[in-house]
């Protein structure tokens, strides 16, 4: 089904609210704050923006908890150098938003900063290569790379065939055994 302009505007509104509240949540982060305090702050900010409710309970994860994609915020306190993952969304006028962001408290350990940069670069590269409606067989990837999955916006995971088509907001999982890649552009065939 195609959304009409009024529906698209409602979606944009929910997304803009999410952007605003994420900025506020990032500014609220400080050493010593608890995950639960940040999650409660996010919920309160959505209410202040006139949202109907949250799309799901905010996931706020510090340190080792950041590796758990479904961690429930608890009394863990933020420490210098911790990785922070926030996954949050609001519901406004029946439309939901969803956003995940990763931050660090202060200066991160260089190995974690390198991983963060690698993932960011991979996202940027994928966004430059992949467009809605492009069959996966048309992606010119190097030998030894496997397009392992497509995660649709609704959470459905597709094990791709060459005929599958990417949609706007799909996430793509690429797997490689090549440990000699120096630049993410190295995944493309010449």
């Amino acid at each position: 089904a195609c959304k009409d302009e009024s529906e698209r505007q409602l979606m944009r509104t929910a997304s803009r609210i999410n952007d605003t509240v994420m900025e506020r949540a990032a500014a609220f982060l400080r050493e010593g704050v608890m995950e639960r305090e940040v999650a409660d702050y996010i919920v309160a900010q959505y209410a202040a923006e006139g949202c109907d409710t949250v799309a799901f309970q905010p996931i706020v994860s510090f340190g080792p908890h950041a590796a758990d994609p479904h961690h429930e915020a608890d009394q863990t306190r933020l420490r210098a150098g911790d990785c922070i993952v926030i996954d949050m969304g609001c519901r406004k006028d029946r439309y939901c938003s969803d956003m995940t962001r990763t931050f660090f408290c202060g200066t991160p350990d260089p190995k974690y900063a390198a991983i963060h940069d690698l993932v960011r670069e991979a996202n940027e590269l994928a966004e430059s290569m992949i467009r809605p409606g492009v069959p996966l067989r048309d992606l010119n990837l190097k030998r030894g790379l496997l397009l392992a999955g497509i995660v649709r916006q609704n959470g459905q995971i597709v094990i791709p065939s060459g005929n599958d088509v990417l949609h706007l907001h799909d996430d793509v999982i690429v797997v490689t055994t090549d440990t000699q890649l120096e630049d993410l552009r190295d995944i493309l065939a010449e």
Side-chain angles (χ1 to χ4, degrees):
C2 292
K3 303 290 184 197
D4 64 28
E5 183 53 37
S6 64
E7 291 173 303
R8 288 192 298 270
Q9 187 54 45
L10 291 169
M11 293 168 69
R12 286 185 202 104
T13 298
S15 182
R16 274 194 297 273
I17 290 170
N18 217 36
D19 290 340
T20 298
V21 173
M22 181 63 83
E23 287 177 18
R24 291 178 190 163
F28 186 76
L29 295 168
R30 64 193 180 291
E31 199 170 332
V33 71
M34 290 185 288
E35 291 173 344
R36 171 70 8 227
E37 290 176 293
V38 177
D40 291 345
Y41 177 81
I42 290 167
V43 172
Q45 293 303 302
Y46 284 142
E49 290 295 324
C51 293
D52 307 326
T53 186
V54 293
F56 53 90
Q57 286 303 308
I59 298 170
V60 178
S61 310
F62 300 158
H65 294 163
D68 178 357
H70 301 288
H71 174 69
E72 293 183 22
D74 61 24
Q75 305 305 313
T76 301
R77 291 190 181 276
L78 184 58
R79 297 176 309 167
D82 273 354
C83 179
I84 304 158
V85 174
I86 298 177
D87 187 357
M88 56 184 241
C90 68
R91 183 178 305 212
K92 172 78 170 154
D93 298 323
R94 299 182 343 265
Y95 286 87
C96 295
S97 61
D98 184 0
M99 177 187 299
T100 305
R101 294 293 181 266
T102 303
F103 307 96
F104 290 98
C105 180
T107 303
D109 180 304
K111 69 182 175 186
Y112 296 128
I115 293 167
H116 182 271
D117 289 345
L118 183 67
V119 171
R120 180 186 44 75
E121 289 174 20
N123 281 328
E124 290 170 356
L125 178 62
E127 288 171 6
S128 74
M129 293 175 12
I130 299 170
R131 296 285 178 255
V134 174
L136 299 180
R137 68 177 170 270
D138 292 349
L139 293 179
N140 193 17
L141 300 178
K142 279 189 174 176
R143 227 175 182 32
L145 292 176
L146 169 66
L147 189 56
I150 302 170
V151 182
R152 301 280 187 218
Q153 190 173 14
N154 66 4
Q156 174 191 15
I157 298 176
V158 176
I159 305 303
S161 71
N163 294 320
D164 286 301
V165 174
L166 296 170
H167 303 289
L168 190 61
H169 301 298
D170 282 350
D171 290 317
V172 178
I173 303 164
V174 177
V175 178
T176 182
T177 56
D178 184 349
T179 59
Q180 303 303 312
L181 295 177
E182 293 185 17
D183 187 293
L184 291 173
R185 287 164 189 73
D186 292 343
I187 71 169
L188 297 174
E190 297 293 323

